[in-house]
Structures are given as structure tokens and as C-alpha cells.
């Protein structure tokens, strides 16, 4: 069993971005600039955005953080996005999800200019991804592809089972793994909360992507020998032994599943770090394409 180490791979991706960014700057070109909008003060969202800002600095990007209160109305958020769309210095815009209930997520996502949609959630980006055209790929699925590529994991003709069908993880990774390219060319089964016989389906998998948000859901008796397991789950579970008061748990019962795997991602230290690296990659590309 080999660990797919998000620390090592994300650092390699970031090192490559830093070299390219330094080259842009020395050539007198503009510095990539990511603008993030954070609404309210949700603990997890605060942590994610702080980490994105810190990582921008590491690779030499500019970043801006726009904070709006939990009670913000939709019109104010729309104005903030329109300003960022019009700002020639901003290359990438991300609105940290989830949004408060008075705001339509679909409306906000579709307002971000597709050329600055570094999260890859805009219907135009998704449509292009489905057709295999060049576009921004949502950061978490993109991070998974970078991870598979780094470890040269064979995906051709493999049966990939994706647990979860959300627009940000399950659905896009299922489409990407079925594309006629590398990593891809998998036969993909998408499972969700209404799937019957999930265990039997997982036992047929060569690759399992667990993205449902239930800690420790994928058990050893659901996995055959030599499976590649990608754990996307990130759930904060109360843990009084930790300074923060919580531990981060993935969707896989790691201790018991890992010995059966050919490769497995840990949580933390796996897909989460790759998501940020992929977001930086999208932001760099958005800047370079200008
Ligand atoms: P979501 O709640 O939008 O979707 C969950 C999906 O799981 C749904 O499609 C649902 O049908 C399916 N599901 C729920 N219960 C199930 C069950 N018993 N059996 C089979 N399928 C079931 O979640 P999401 O936004 O896709 O996130 C999933 C997990 O991934 C969460 O823990 C989230 O925090 C994490 N996440 C991690 C990253 C990262 O960077 N690592 C990024 C995004 C999300």
C-alpha cells in the first residue's frame, strides 16, 4: 500500500507555479491575482479562505479578500461580483460556499465572468468540461487528477466507483474519469444516497472516490484487494484532545481500509491540499490567458 501524499504533490505543483509566476514577473507581465469573497464567519469557511490567501502568497500571487456579513442581501453580493468582473487586475474570483440561505447559490455562480471562474462552477465551465473543451476544471476534481497523474496511476479501462453526485465533487470527477484521455478512460459508476447494493458495487471497483461527507463510511468489507481509494471527505468531528476542539475526518475508515489498497489518500494531508494547488493552477492559467 502506498500513501498518495497531498503534501508532496501539492508542493510540487506549487513549486512549478512559483517558477512560472516569477518568470511572468521578470518578463514585466502582470502578477496573477485571486479575489475571494467570504460571507459570515463560518469556522470551516474562514479556515479554507485563510489557507487559499496564504497559498497565493507562497507562489507569489496577489490576493484580495472581501468580507461580507452573514446578513448581506443578494444585491450587495451581486454588486461586489460585478466590480470584480470589471476589475482588469483581478484574474480569478471565488465565492466561498456555502452561502447564507437568503442568497441563491446558482444565481451567484452564474454571475462570475467565465474567464475568471477559477472554481470552475459556472454552467459555461461545466458545459465545456463535459464536452472535453479547454476550461477551468473544479478545483477538487482537478486536484484528484493531478494526484493520479503524479503517481502515474493506471486508469485506462478501470472501473471507478464515485460515491456522491454533488456539482462540486462527485458529478465532475465522474465525468472527468470517463473522458477519453489520461487520467480517464474509466468505466464509471456514480452512487448516491438512493443507490441500492452500494457494498456490492464498491467491491467491483478498481478505483473508489468517496465524496459523501459521512466520516468513516467506506469500510474494509466494501473494498477489494489492491483498490485505489481517494478520500474526499472533510468533516469536523468533536475531539477534546485537540487544541481546536475538533478533528478532521475523511469518508474512509482509513485504519482498516488502507491495508487492502494499492494506493490511498489520507485525511488530512490528501485531496484537501490538492484542491488548493488546483485552484492556484486555475488562477495562473486565467492570468496567462489574458
Ligand atoms: P454534498 O452534501 O453536496 O453531497 C453528498 C453526496 O453524497 C450527495 O450526492 C448524496 O447523494 C451522497 N450521499 C449521501 N449519503 C450517502 C450514502 N449513505 N450513500 C451514498 N451516497 C450518499 O457534499 P460535497 O459538497 O460533495 O462534499 C462531500 C464531502 O467532501 C464533504 O465531507 C465535504 O466537506 C468534502 N469536500 C472536500 C473537499 C476537499 O478539498 N477535500 C472539497 C469539497 C468537499
Amino acid at each position: 500500500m502506498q500513501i498518495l501524499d497531498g503534501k508532496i504533490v501539492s508542493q510540487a505543483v506549487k513549486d512549478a507555479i512559483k517558477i512560472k509566476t516569477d518568470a511572468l514577473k521578470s518578463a514585466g507581465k502582470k502578477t496573477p491575482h485571486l479575489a475571494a469573497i467570504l460571507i459570515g464567519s463560518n469556522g470551516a469557511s474562514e479556515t479554507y479562505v485563510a489557507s487559499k490567501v496564504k497559498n497565493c502568497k507562497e507562489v507569489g500571487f496577489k490576493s484580495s479578500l472581501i468580507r461580507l456579513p452573514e446578513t448581506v442581501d443578494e444585491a450587495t453580493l451581486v454588486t461586489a461580483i460585478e466590480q470584480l468582473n470589471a476589475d482588469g487586475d483581478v484574474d480569478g474570483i471565488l465565492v466561498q460556499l456555502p452561502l447564507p440561505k437568503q442568497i441563491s447559490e446558482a444565481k451567484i455562480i452564474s454571475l462570475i465572468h467565465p474567464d475568471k471562474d477559477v472554481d470552475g462552477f459556472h454552467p459555461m465551465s461545466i458545459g465545456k468540461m463535459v464536452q472535453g473543451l479547454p476550461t477551468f476544471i473544479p478545483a477538487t476534481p482537478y486536484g484528484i487528477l493531478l494526484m493520479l497523474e503524479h503517481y502515474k496511476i493506471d486508469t485506462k479501462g478501470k472501473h471507478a466507483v464515485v460515491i456522491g453526485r454533488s456539482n462540486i465533487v462527485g458529478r465532475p470527477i465522474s465525468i472527468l474519469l470517463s473522458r477519453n484521455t489520461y487520467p480517464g478512460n474509466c468505466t464509471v459508476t456514480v452512487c448516491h444516497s438512493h443507490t441500492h447494493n452500494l457494498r456490492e458495487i464498491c467491491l467491483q471497483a478498481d478505483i473508489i472516490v468517496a465524496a459523501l461527507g459521512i466520516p468513516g463510511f467506506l469500510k474494509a468489507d466494501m473494498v477489494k484487494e489492491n483498490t485505489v481509494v481517494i478520500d474526499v471527505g472533510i468533516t469536523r468531528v468533536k475531539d477534546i484532545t485537540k487544541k481546536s476542539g475538533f478533528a478532521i475526518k475523511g469518508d474512509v475508515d482509513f485504519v482498516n481500509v488502507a491495508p487492502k489498497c494499492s494506493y490511498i489518500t489520507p485525511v488530512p494531508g490528501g485531496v484537501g491540499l490538492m484542491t488548493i494547488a488546483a485552484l492556484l493552477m486555475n488562477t495562473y492559467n486565467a492570468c496567462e490567458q489574458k
Side-chain angles (χ1 to χ4, degrees):
M1 180 274 296
Q2 186 175 351
I3 297 282
L4 300 172
D5 192 328
K7 240 187 200 162
I8 292 174
V9 188
S10 67
Q11 195 56 55
V13 173
K14 288 194 287 182
D15 289 346
I17 295 173
K18 169 110 178 58
I19 290 169
K20 292 200 288 181
T21 304
D22 289 346
L24 276 187
K25 290 183 190 173
S26 341
K29 301 202 172 130
K30 82 178 284 304
T31 302
H33 181 179
L34 176 71
I37 300 183
L38 175 61
I39 299 169
S41 53
N42 171 285
S45 295
E46 289 268 0
T47 310
Y48 295 145
V49 171
S51 174
K52 287 167 187 173
V53 168
K54 179 176 153 271
N55 276 272
C56 278
K57 210 171 181 178
E58 254 181 60
V59 297
F61 288 4
K62 243 171 107 172
S63 66
S64 310
L65 175 57
I66 294 135
R67 285 178 169 276
L68 296 169
E70 184 75 28
T71 51
V72 70
D73 57 90
E74 205 170 78
T76 306
L77 180 55
V78 168
T79 305
I81 291 171
E82 283 170 350
Q83 280 168 357
L84 293 175
N85 280 340
D87 186 337
D89 193 58
V90 170
D91 301 298
I93 303 170
L94 79 84
V95 179
Q96 187 63 44
L97 305 178
L99 299 177
K101 50 185 179 317
Q102 71 274 18
I103 292 171
S104 155
E105 209 165 277
K107 178 175 173 181
I108 293 305
I109 287 170
S110 66
L111 276 174
I112 295 171
H113 194 290
D115 291 347
K116 300 189 179 190
D117 176 38
V118 289
D119 254 339
F121 296 159
H122 191 285
M124 182 100 88
S125 307
I126 300 285
K128 284 185 175 178
M129 182 198 74
V130 170
Q131 294 195 344
L133 299 171
T135 188
F136 298 115
I137 294 173
T140 301
Y142 187 16
I144 295 171
L145 297 185
L146 292 171
M147 181 87 107
L148 293 171
E149 214 173 353
H150 181 93
Y151 285 93
K152 299 186 173 53
I153 292 173
D154 185 18
T155 57
K156 195 168 160 185
K158 304 292 179 195
H159 182 200
V161 170
V162 177
I163 314 175
R165 58 178 166 189
S166 73
N167 286 338
I168 63 169
V169 190
R171 178 93 57 210
I173 193 64
S174 68
I175 292 163
L176 291 162
L177 287 175
S178 74
R179 292 195 307 183
N180 184 8
T181 182
Y182 177 78
N185 278 314
C186 293
T187 302
V188 181
T189 303
V190 184
C191 301
H192 45 77
S193 50
H194 295 276
T195 298
H196 295 299
N197 307 326
L198 185 64
R199 180 172 167 270
E200 284 68 24
I201 296 168
C202 287
L203 281 168
Q204 292 168 23
D206 304 304
I207 300 171
I208 299 178
V209 180
L212 68 158
I214 302 179
F217 178 87
L218 190 77
K219 303 273 189 260
D221 68 351
M222 298 166 81
V223 178
K224 70 175 185 194
E225 293 290 334
N226 291 322
T227 304
V228 177
V229 172
I230 308 289
D231 189 352
V232 182
I234 294 184
T235 305
R236 289 181 169 203
V237 177
K238 193 174 169 192
D239 185 341
I240 50 163
T241 67
K242 304 266 180 206
K243 213 170 122 195
S244 59
F246 62 83
I248 301 291
K249 295 282 178 204
D251 287 345
V252 177
D253 175 10
F254 184 88
V255 173
N256 296 306
V257 171
K260 297 183 85 176
C261 298
S262 53
Y263 298 91
I264 185 166
T265 62
V267 176
V271 175
L273 296 173
M274 293 309 301
T275 296
I276 296 184
L279 172 73
L280 297 174
M281 190 79 116
N282 277 342
T283 306
Y284 177 85
N285 289 335
C287 176
E288 207 194 27
Q289 277 158 25
K290 259 196 182 147

